[in-house]
Amino acid sequence: MTDKKASTLSRKTYEAELLRLQIELVKLQEWVRAEGARLIVVFEGRDAAGKGGTIQRVTQYLNPRVARIVALPKPTERERTQWYFQRYVGHLPAAGEIVLFDRSWYNRAGVERVMGFCTREEYQLFLRQCPIFERMLVEDGILLRKYWFSVSDAVQQERFHHRLEDPLRRWKLSPMDLESITRWEAYSRAKDEMMVHTDIAEAPWYVVESDDKRRARLNMMAHLLSSVPYREVPPPVLELPERPPSTGYERPPRDLQTYVPDHTAQL
């Protein structure tokens, strides 16, 4: 057995622990709602590092009215004239909400810096303002967690090939992703500089080794749960009522409504 296979979790172990952690995430959600807490989770990392898959598992059983995903497109012309952090402020959580940023304000320290989408002056201003912005969030009582998903160049290349050949995931592969292959070291330097300026005591970075997706998901979820002082909130006592007897209602004839064709009958 190769080292890679030896270090890979079995599907049975992975799914059992995933379910246990997802149950705890539901408890965390109910605590956030009951306490009126505000939680932000930032997911950053290279393309194909496993951020999206982890976010899917985190939110799989959560209430979308409590936990929502923010994945912003490129800024509009109007947004480009605003204070850089302004477009993100409107997505911050209110009391009893969890917001997961699938990429965040750190776009400026990564793709914008490497691809030349911002000026040197705008980049330097970001590095000065970002720690201040995050300290303001934390000082106001927001729980802020920042995760960097770290993937090796070989594994990233392998995942890009799989996306290229998979019709279900082909949409995940963009020209910008392919460009990142030729700018690997530039992205590495940008990440290192970003960490130097924004890995602050009030909002530290947590690095997730993500060459093994299963381990990465479980490790990130377990760490998030361990970092928040949540408790189990007893659910309200509910009882199913007895159905009342019929009062004579009759369903309208089926031919008065348009039904979806039975596609499964042809399988």
Side-chain angles (χ1 to χ4, degrees), residues 72-84 87:
L72 299 183
K74 66 180 182 180
T76 64
E77 290 299 321
R78 180 176 183 274
E79 287 172 332
R80 288 174 183 166
T81 67
Q82 297 174 342
W83 175 48
Y84 176 72
R87 70 193 298 246

Side-chain angles (χ1 to χ4, degrees), residues 23 67 79 90 144 170 199 223-224 227 244 251 254 262:
I23 291 172
E79 287 172 332
L144 175 60
R170 178 63 179 79
D199 187 18
H223 180 273
L224 174 63
S227 73
R251 186 174 181 175
R254 292 176 61 88
D262 187 4

Side-chain angles (χ1 to χ4, degrees), residues 82-99:
Q82 297 174 342
W83 175 48
Y84 176 72
F85 294 94
Q86 188 170 338
R87 70 193 298 246
Y88 297 98
V89 170
H91 298 278
L92 298 180
E97 293 181 348
I98 301 171
V99 173

Side-chain angles (χ1 to χ4, degrees), residues 18-147:
L18 176 63
L19 181 59
R20 187 189 73 81
L21 292 172
Q22 288 175 326
I23 291 172
E24 291 301 313
L25 285 168
V26 172
K27 295 178 184 178
L28 170 64
Q29 167 193 264
E30 294 307 297
W31 174 83
V32 166
R33 182 161 57 176
E35 294 294 321
R38 294 170 291 166
L39 174 60
I40 296 174
V41 187
V42 170
F43 292 80
E44 290 287 348
R46 295 181 185 273
D47 299 314
K51 303 180 297 297
T54 303
I55 292 172
Q56 289 177 5
R57 273 67 178 186
V58 169
T59 59
Q60 186 173 358
Y61 296 106
L62 300 186
N63 184 343
R65 294 180 178 85
V66 176
R68 53 189 169 87
I69 302 169
V70 175
L72 299 183
K74 66 180 182 180
T76 64
E77 290 299 321
R78 180 176 183 274
E79 287 172 332
R80 288 174 183 166
T81 67
Q82 297 174 342
W83 175 48
Y84 176 72
F85 294 94
Q86 188 170 338
R87 70 193 298 246
Y88 297 98
V89 170
H91 298 278
L92 298 180
E97 293 181 348
I98 301 171
V99 173
L100 300 94
F101 279 96
D102 185 355
R103 297 198 181 277
S104 64
W105 45 88
Y106 282 100
N107 279 335
R108 175 136 296 177
V111 63
E112 290 190 19
R113 168 70 173 131
V114 173
M115 300 301 297
F117 296 154
C118 67
T119 66
R120 179 71 182 180
E121 291 73 21
E122 289 173 330
Y123 171 69
Q124 292 293 342
L125 182 61
F126 169 83
L127 292 181
R128 291 197 301 272
Q129 289 187 342
C130 184
I132 299 172
F133 174 66
E134 292 183 351
R135 287 190 180 101
M136 291 174 65
L137 298 180
V138 174
E139 288 174 0
D140 200 59
I142 291 177
L143 300 170
L144 175 60
R145 301 293 182 268
K146 303 185 306 191
Y147 293 97

